[in-house]
């Protein structure tokens, strides 16, 4: 299905090339409203809206921000007669559960996106990748005599009481990713998650040797703390995508389509990577930062196999 979607996107691109340029010149500027239901962080949302309005100044954007669960409840309650136009943020499982309440749309940027994260249908589109990374204080790890390489290495008794983590639900809505990070924390006896700032500052100070955190927080912090290391587990990285879709019953469906295309555009995706250190869903946007793996080199962890290995010492081979 994902390959079929790519073929459709290429066909659509060809169709656009056959339409006379005068047809676009005669089109009136976009205007009206756009109502966005979203769970994304304020800083990211503000940048997205500002960039969108710089491109479409005639569209007034209204935002309803809430937690993922509250947004899902609201969309279900509206039952296909939504007061919103776009649902932004949330896991693939969440969007699958709402598929009958979404309007199919094939973005013009689909052929530029990483195929592994495309939807199995046309009801929603990936807009961001969420990566779990570790931030390591090499000096503190050496002092403990610990060799930190991945998830299993965190079980080293030398690291007991020297590992902490941020709540994965703060950067990912993907249930499997969140459950996996919480399982790792339980396995290495971390009682509860800490605030992102505490995780980063405590590792930098050497109070802890390792912190499990979101990749964007790790990259941002390392920029001012060069001695720290960003580590991607040798067994594979916990990674997921966030999605966006057009709500059934939307009053401003055309503007919603423009917003989906904007979110997947190179301009926005590059800005989100450069300014917010968010991992792009596009194949032509990546980080040019030392110590940060390009998306093509990230290995996705096999959650079931890694869980078995951590909890029962079973044999495990990471899958690319």
């Amino acid at each position: 299905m994902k390959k079929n979607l790519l073929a459709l996107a290429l066909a659509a691109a060809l169709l656009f090339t056959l339409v006379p340029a005068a047809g676009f010149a005669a089109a009136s500027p976009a205007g009206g409203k756009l109502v966005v239901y979203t769970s994304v962080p304020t800083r990211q949302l503000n940048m997205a809206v500002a960039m969108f309005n710089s491109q479409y100044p005639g569209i007034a954007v209204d935002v309803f921000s809430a937690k993922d669960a509250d947004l899902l409840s609201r969309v279900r309650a509206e039952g296909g007669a939504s007061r919103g136009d776009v649902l932004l943020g949330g896991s693939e499982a969440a969007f699958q559960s709402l598929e009958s309440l979404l309007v199919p749309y094939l973005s013009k940027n689909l052929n530029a996106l990483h195929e592994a994260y495309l939807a199995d249908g046309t009801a929603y589109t990936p807009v961001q990748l969420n990566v779990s990374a570790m931030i390591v204080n090499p000096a503190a790890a050496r002092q403990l005599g610990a060799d930190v390489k991945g998830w299993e290495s965190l079980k080293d008794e030398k690291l007991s009481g020297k590992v902490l983590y941020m709540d994965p639900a703060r950067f990912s809505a993907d249930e499997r990713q969140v459950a996996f990070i919480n399982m790792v924390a339980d396995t290495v006896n971390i009682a509860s998650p800490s605030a992102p700032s505490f995780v980063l500052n405590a590792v930098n100070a050497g109070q802890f040797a390792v912190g499990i955190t979101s990749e964007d927080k790790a990259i941002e912090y390392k920029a001012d703390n060069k001695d720290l290391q960003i580590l991607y587990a040798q067994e594979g990285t916990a990674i997921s995508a966030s999605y966006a879709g057009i709500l059934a019953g939307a009053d401003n469906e055309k503007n919603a389509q423009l917003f989906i295309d904007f979110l997947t555009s190179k301009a926005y995706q590059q800005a989100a990577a450069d300014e917010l250190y968010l991992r792009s869903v596009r194949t032509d946007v990546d980080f040019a930062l030392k110590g940060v793996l390009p998306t093509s080199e990230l290995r996705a962890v096999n959650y079931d196999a890694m869980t078995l290995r951590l909890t029962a010492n079973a044999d495990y081979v990471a899958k690319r």
Side-chain angles (χ1 to χ4, degrees), residues 103-108 110 121-125 246 256-258 260-261:
V103 177
Y105 179 62
L106 198 64
S107 171
K108 68 179 184 180
L110 204 65
T122 60
Y124 49 93
T125 305
I246 300 173
Q257 292 175 358
L258 292 176
I260 297 293
D261 288 343

Side-chain angles (χ1 to χ4, degrees), residues 118-157:
L118 295 178
D120 285 329
T122 60
Y124 49 93
T125 305
V127 294
Q128 178 188 322
L129 299 184
N130 309 304
V131 176
S132 301
M134 298 181 206
I135 193 157
V136 180
N137 185 318
R142 283 195 301 271
Q143 188 173 12
L144 294 170
D147 186 12
V148 184
K149 294 182 177 180
W151 306 115
E152 194 167 22
S153 67
L154 299 181
K155 295 179 68 176
D156 187 339
E157 290 185 1

Side-chain angles (χ1 to χ4, degrees), residues 44-287:
Q44 179 184 355
L45 178 64
N46 289 344
M47 187 182 80
V49 171
M51 288 186 66
F52 180 73
N53 274 150
S54 70
Q55 187 172 348
Y56 301 105
I59 298 177
V61 181
D62 290 336
V63 174
F64 176 76
S65 293
K67 294 180 179 180
D68 289 292
D70 294 334
L71 290 175
L72 296 182
S73 295
R74 184 184 181 104
V75 172
R76 291 191 181 105
E78 290 175 345
S82 181
R83 299 176 186 174
D85 300 308
V86 172
L87 178 62
L88 171 60
S91 68
E92 183 168 22
F95 275 84
Q96 285 175 340
S97 73
L98 296 175
E99 195 159 356
S100 64
L101 302 176
L102 299 171
V103 177
Y105 179 62
L106 198 64
S107 171
K108 68 179 184 180
N109 298 315
L110 204 65
N111 62 328
L113 308 185
H114 284 285
E115 185 178 354
Y117 300 97
L118 295 178
D120 285 329
T122 60
Y124 49 93
T125 305
V127 294
Q128 178 188 322
L129 299 184
N130 309 304
V131 176
S132 301
M134 298 181 206
I135 193 157
V136 180
N137 185 318
R142 283 195 301 271
Q143 188 173 12
L144 294 170
D147 186 12
V148 184
K149 294 182 177 180
W151 306 115
E152 194 167 22
S153 67
L154 299 181
K155 295 179 68 176
D156 187 339
E157 290 185 1
K158 297 170 188 160
L159 287 171
S160 179
K162 295 297 181 180
V163 181
L164 72 172
Y165 81 119
M166 70 174 282
D167 183 357
R170 296 185 65 159
F171 65 87
S172 175
D174 183 77
E175 292 181 359
R176 296 206 72 193
Q177 186 176 19
V178 171
F180 176 77
I181 298 300
N182 285 328
M183 180 278 300
V184 172
D186 289 341
T187 301
V188 298
N189 298 317
I190 308 175
S192 60
S194 299
S197 59
F198 180 80
V199 171
L200 298 165
N201 289 330
V203 171
N204 186 50
Q207 295 172 271
F208 291 80
V210 184
I212 305 171
T213 182
S214 64
E215 182 186 42
D216 60 299
K217 295 291 186 185
I219 294 173
E220 182 179 17
Y221 196 81
K222 179 177 164 53
D224 296 320
N225 300 276
K226 305 294 185 183
D227 293 335
L228 299 181
Q229 174 193 7
I230 296 175
L231 178 73
Y232 300 90
Q234 64 179 3
E235 305 96 340
T237 303
I239 182 170
S240 66
S242 295
Y243 293 82
I246 300 173
L247 294 164
D251 290 332
N252 308 288
E253 187 174 332
K254 293 297 183 183
N255 289 345
Q257 292 175 358
L258 292 176
F259 193 60
I260 297 293
D261 288 343
F262 160 77
L263 290 172
T264 53
S265 69
K266 187 171 183 179
Y268 170 73
Q269 290 283 316
Q270 191 69 64
D274 293 343
E275 298 180 32
L276 304 179
Y277 304 115
L278 298 178
R279 177 77 63 166
S280 177
V281 293
R282 288 183 64 103
T283 58
D284 56 358
V285 174
D286 222 322
F287 299 117

